[in-house]
């Protein structure tokens, strides 16, 4: 394999991972796509990784079996120990989950969980998602103002995923608190995150134990996901308690923050593109859902909830975009850059809710394609349609430039989203 040098750039490389970059990373990603589409970069943690920014290279990398999800393949230097992956998961012994393993274990665990995300199961959950959505809007509709992140986009997927997992209603506010700690500090000090993950791990282990006892005592098994995992484990699928706890953890972690950001980023995009927002409202008023469905896909492409795909590690020498990658090197696929690649999408910086040819990478590609994507789409569609229908004159309460984006590597989302609207009594 030989490196193919990219043409020299007339402009200097942009700064990455600053607060200014977080507010609008897309110009920097455009520079990388053109001048250094596969670039070795030092991350804020001190870890060095390859950033992949072109759509074709990204799609190849996401499906390449030579790029392992298992951190054991990372030849970590001493200063980088424990700085890859999800904060806190190592100390809480939650590493054995779908984002950190390869086939055949990945195939086995994914098969167990996939039963909870079939189109039929997700469709059956639609009523509960609508109920949660309306209840949350009811809590601020009469006030005429709200922070849509903390009062709406954040609690909706937390309560939904807790219901899906089988977390009792009386315990769900604890999960909301732990998840809030992870969101607030995901890009900063890791102590608070590690403590929250440890509490979540302890709770999940106890919940799994209780559910196993109740399933033994009761003739009718529970229908929630944790009960399903226990039944599979008890019927020869060889699911350990650690695997069950790690699975529940990653479904919660991956299933809530991505949807928080989908709703938050999507609402912000609509509020800053009034012609697209009005187009969607007209469609909804006419009882049509086609534009809502294509619109969610476009919002995922335009400013999606996951900026970089989770960690991958080369298991052997390989080449991406003409760049040699050595065994053990971390590779981060920049979904946000790939989904605005002009080689793949016409007018990529334009928000077009009716865009048809839209094979975005917002939920990944290949065997690690997001299992919960159908549920996230349902939650996103329900949340946006209900907001725009019940609060038709929804508007930003601050200037766009005053909004702050959370620091962090993988996720992209707003800290707050203050809005105003005519109070609804």
């Amino acid at each position: 394999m030989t490196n193919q040098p990219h043409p020299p750039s007339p402009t200097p490389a942009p700064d990455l991972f600053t607060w200014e970059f977080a507010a609008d990373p897309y110009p920097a990603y455009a520079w990388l796509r053109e001048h250094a589409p596969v670039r070795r970069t030092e991350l804020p943690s001190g870890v060095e990784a390859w950033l992949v920014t072109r759509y074709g290279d990204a799609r190849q990398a996401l499906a390449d079996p030579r790029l392992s999800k298992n951190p054991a393949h990372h030849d970590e230097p001493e200063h980088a120990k424990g700085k890859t992956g999800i904060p806190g998961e190592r100390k809480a012994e939650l590493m054995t989950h779908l984002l950190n393993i390869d086939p055949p274990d990945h195939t086995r665990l994914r098969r167990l969980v996939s039963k909870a995300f079939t189109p039929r199961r997700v469709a059956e959950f639609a009523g509960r998602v609508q109920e949660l959505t309306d209840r949350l809007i009811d809590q601020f509709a009469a006030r005429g103002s709200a922070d849509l992140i903390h009062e709406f986009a954040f609690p909706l997927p937390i309560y939904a995923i807790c219901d899906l997992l089988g977390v009792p209603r009386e315990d769900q506010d604890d999960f909301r608190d732990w998840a809030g700690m992870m969101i607030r500090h995901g890009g900063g000090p890791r102590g608070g995150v590690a403590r929250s993950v440890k509490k979540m791990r302890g709770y999940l282990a106890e919940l799994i134990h209780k559910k196993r006892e109740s399933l033994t005592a009761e003739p009718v098994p529970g229908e929630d996901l944790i009960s399903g995992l226990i039944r599979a484990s008890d019927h020869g699928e060889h699911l350990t308690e650690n695997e069950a706890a790690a699975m529940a953890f990653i479904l919660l972690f991956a299933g809530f923050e991505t949807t928080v950001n989908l709703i938050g980023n999507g609402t912000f995009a609509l509020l800053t593109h009034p012609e697209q927002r009005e187009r969607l409202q007209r469609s909804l008023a006419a009882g049509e859902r086609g534009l809502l469905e294509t619109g969610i896909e476009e919002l995922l492409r335009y400013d999606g909830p996951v900026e970089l795909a989770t960690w991958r590690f080369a298991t052997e020498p390989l080449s991406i975009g003409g760049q040699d990658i050595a065994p053990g090197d971390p590779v981060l696929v920049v979904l946000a850059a790939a989904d605005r690649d002009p080689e793949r999408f016409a007018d990529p910086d334009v928000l077009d809710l009716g865009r048809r040819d839209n094979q975005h990478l917002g939920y990944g590609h290949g065997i690690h394609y997001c299992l919960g994507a159908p549920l996230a789409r349902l939650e996103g569609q329900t949340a946006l349609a209900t907001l725009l229908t019940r609060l038709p004159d929804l508007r930003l309460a601050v200037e766009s430039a005053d909004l702050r984006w959370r620091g962090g590597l993988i996720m992209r989302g707003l800290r707050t989203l203050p809005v105003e609207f005519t109070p609804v009594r």
Side-chain angles (χ1 to χ4, degrees):
M1 291 184 291
T2 58
N3 289 332
Q4 299 174 4
H6 299 287
S9 167
T11 57
D15 290 330
L16 305 180
F17 311 119
T18 64
W19 290 111
E20 293 78 11
F21 168 84
D24 182 10
Y26 296 103
Y29 288 149
W31 188 97
L32 288 175
R33 278 195 311 267
E34 182 176 356
H35 302 293
V38 182
R39 184 191 192 205
R40 191 173 178 88
T41 305
E42 182 175 340
L43 308 176
S45 63
V47 177
E48 290 192 355
W50 294 97
L51 299 184
V52 179
T53 51
R54 287 180 179 169
Y55 182 92
D57 296 336
R59 191 174 167 91
Q60 171 206 327
L62 290 172
D64 195 326
R66 297 170 298 175
L67 290 175
S68 169
K69 299 291 290 173
N70 189 341
H73 291 289
H74 181 205
D75 185 17
E76 293 179 323
E78 195 59 38
H79 72 275
K81 293 289 184 185
K83 293 183 178 179
T84 62
I86 298 170
E89 64 180 356
R90 297 186 187 213
K91 290 183 179 179
E93 297 182 340
L94 289 170
M95 292 287 288
T96 312
H97 56 68
L98 289 172
L99 295 186
N100 280 345
I101 57 174
D102 304 316
D105 285 335
H106 176 270
T107 308
R108 172 176 62 91
L109 294 181
R110 187 177 176 100
R111 184 179 65 250
L112 292 177
V113 183
S114 63
K115 300 167 187 174
F117 295 102
T118 62
R120 180 182 65 83
R121 288 293 300 274
V122 170
E124 290 171 351
F125 206 55
R128 176 59 178 158
V129 172
Q130 186 65 63
E131 176 191 335
L132 286 169
T133 300
D134 283 323
R135 190 185 81 194
L136 291 168
I137 294 176
D138 287 344
Q139 293 174 3
F140 56 75
R143 191 195 316 151
S145 65
D147 175 357
L148 284 186
I149 299 298
H150 293 285
E151 297 183 74
F152 184 65
F154 175 68
L156 173 58
I158 277 288
Y159 292 137
I161 200 71
C162 280
D163 278 355
L164 192 71
L165 288 171
V167 176
R169 299 279 170 90
E170 62 268 22
D171 295 341
Q172 292 185 6
D173 284 337
D174 288 336
F175 266 79
R176 180 175 175 168
D177 292 343
W178 297 330
M181 178 68 74
M182 294 170 72
I183 274 196
R184 285 192 297 274
H185 298 293
R190 295 192 167 204
V193 179
R195 283 192 296 273
S196 293
V197 172
K198 194 169 183 179
K199 288 178 181 177
M200 200 178 288
R201 168 67 173 90
Y203 176 86
L204 289 170
E206 183 179 352
L207 181 63
I208 289 167
H209 179 71
K210 287 179 178 177
K211 283 184 178 288
R212 175 167 272 127
E213 287 187 335
S214 68
L215 288 176
T216 302
E218 297 175 10
V220 180
E223 289 300 318
D224 59 82
L225 181 53
I226 289 179
S227 295
L229 291 174
I230 293 169
R231 286 198 304 276
S233 175
D234 291 345
H235 287 82
E237 288 283 2
H238 309 297
L239 188 72
T240 69
E241 186 170 295
N242 263 355
E243 286 176 332
M247 186 69 69
F249 164 73
I250 199 59
L251 289 171
L252 179 73
F253 180 86
F256 89 86
E257 190 172 1
T258 53
T259 309
V260 174
N261 295 348
L262 170 58
I263 296 170
N265 298 6
T267 303
F268 175 65
L270 292 174
L271 294 182
T272 51
H273 294 80
E275 72 293 342
Q276 293 295 311
R277 171 258 193 87
E278 290 163 10
R279 181 184 178 192
L280 180 54
Q281 285 177 308
R282 288 194 301 270
S283 174
L284 293 170
E288 300 167 355
R289 291 188 62 84
L291 191 64
L292 178 63
E293 293 171 0
T294 59
I296 284 291
E297 302 309 309
E298 176 67 346
L299 293 169
L300 284 162
R301 182 201 69 81
Y302 180 78
D303 197 10
V306 183
E307 192 164 344
L308 283 74
T310 49
W311 297 84
R312 283 166 169 77
F313 307 94
T315 59
E316 60 183 81
L318 67 141
S319 176
I320 303 176
Q323 176 64 60
D324 290 346
I325 310 293
D329 280 0
V331 174
L332 290 168
V333 177
V334 188
L335 305 179
D339 280 344
R340 292 220 192 174
D341 188 341
E343 293 295 316
R344 176 59 185 82
F345 300 99
D347 300 318
D349 296 321
V350 173
L351 179 69
D352 176 9
L353 298 184
R355 189 185 293 268
R356 294 288 178 180
D357 182 18
N358 196 358
Q359 289 186 315
H360 63 77
L361 300 175
Y363 284 125
H365 174 64
I367 65 169
H368 289 282
Y369 182 84
C370 177
L371 253 179
L375 178 61
R377 286 185 169 102
L378 169 66
E379 291 175 328
Q381 290 178 15
T382 304
L384 292 178
T386 309
L387 273 179
L388 294 179
T389 301
R390 292 190 58 183
L391 310 175
D393 64 345
L394 190 71
R395 57 194 178 275
L396 286 175
V398 297
E399 295 295 325
S400 298
D402 293 333
L403 292 171
R404 292 292 175 264
W405 297 79
R406 289 193 301 275
L409 191 64
I410 301 298
M411 302 292 185
R412 172 165 171 77
L414 288 161
R415 291 174 176 266
T416 61
L417 185 56
V419 296
E420 297 172 336
F421 47 88
T422 300
V424 180
R425 304 293 177 184

